[in-house]
Structures are given as structure tokens and as C-alpha cells.
Amino acid sequence: KMIKIKEGVDILRCNAPILVALIKCEGVYSEKGYACTVISACEETVRHAPRSPYCQGDAIDIRVKHVPKENRAELVRLMRKALGSNYLVVREGPSDENEHVRIQYFQQPPVE
């Protein structure tokens, strides 16, 4: 088991619920035989405004492009199940070379 962090990515300011989510997601990835790599978190970039959930420590992106396309939906389903209703787990950029999974924490579950 191991969590990898892309060079330049800052998880030091992530809030505890996101770090717990990352540990749980790593378990899902590991169970399926894949590496779990964080590709975006608290670092301030042009992509993340200062008030974004990323900069607030409540969101991360995890790499999924190394997972065979036919297995990605199941991986996301398993992560949703592991995390529960206070988390949003979304595939972003499907069919794109930069496809990833966004995980965002909400104190109150998001309305479906």
C-alpha cells in the first residue's frame, strides 16, 4: 500500500476528512492492484481560485488514466461506497488523456 504524490502537489493543508478519504481510496486502488497518485490538492494554481474547495483543503484529484478504461467506473463506484454521502466522487475529463477523479468533502451531504 502506498499513496504517491505528484511532484509540486501540496497535501499539507488538506483537512482531516480529505486525508481520511485519501487513505480509504488508496485501499480501493490497492485492492484492485493500482497505484493511488494525488495529482492536485491544496497548491494554489491558476486552476484553483483561493476560495475553491482545493485551496480550502476540502478537495483532491487522484490519477485514473493508468487504470484500464473499462475498470474506471467500477473504481469510482467503490470509492463512493467507501467514502459515503459527505463526499462527492466524480470522474472529470472522461475519455480525455487527463481524466482523473475529483474527491470533495462536504460537512453536510450534497443534495442529489
Side-chain angles (χ1 to χ4, degrees):
K1 292 187 167 202
M2 183 168 49
I3 296 169
K4 297 179 181 182
I5 302 168
K6 182 179 171 183
E7 187 175 336
V9 171
D10 174 16
I11 67 164
L12 294 177
R13 292 182 291 125
C14 287
N15 294 322
I18 280 295
L19 296 175
V20 168
L22 178 56
I23 291 165
K24 288 182 178 183
C25 288
E26 190 284 331
V28 171
Y29 270 70
S30 180
E31 187 178 291
K32 294 296 179 182
Y34 305 117
C36 181
T37 304
V38 179
I39 60 169
S40 186
C42 297
E43 67 282 355
E44 291 186 25
T45 67
V46 293
R47 294 180 303 150
H48 300 154
R51 295 185 54 109
S52 81
Y54 292 92
C55 292
Q56 299 298 312
D58 288 326
I60 57 172
D61 291 340
I62 299 176
R63 179 171 288 145
V64 75
K65 68 181 184 180
H66 63 296
V67 175
K69 287 187 181 195
E70 62 272 13
N71 297 344
R72 295 176 189 175
E74 179 192 15
L75 196 68
V76 169
R77 183 184 60 75
L78 292 171
M79 286 190 285
R80 284 184 183 135
K81 183 178 176 185
L83 296 180
S85 63
N86 283 71
Y87 293 88
L88 178 67
V89 181
V90 180
R91 283 172 73 182
E92 293 191 333
S95 75
D96 181 350
E97 145 114 10
N98 296 317
E99 181 179 355
H100 59 276
V101 177
R102 174 185 180 163
I103 298 169
Q104 185 174 342
Y105 172 74
F106 296 88
Q107 288 190 352
Q108 298 292 320
V111 178
E112 299 265 337

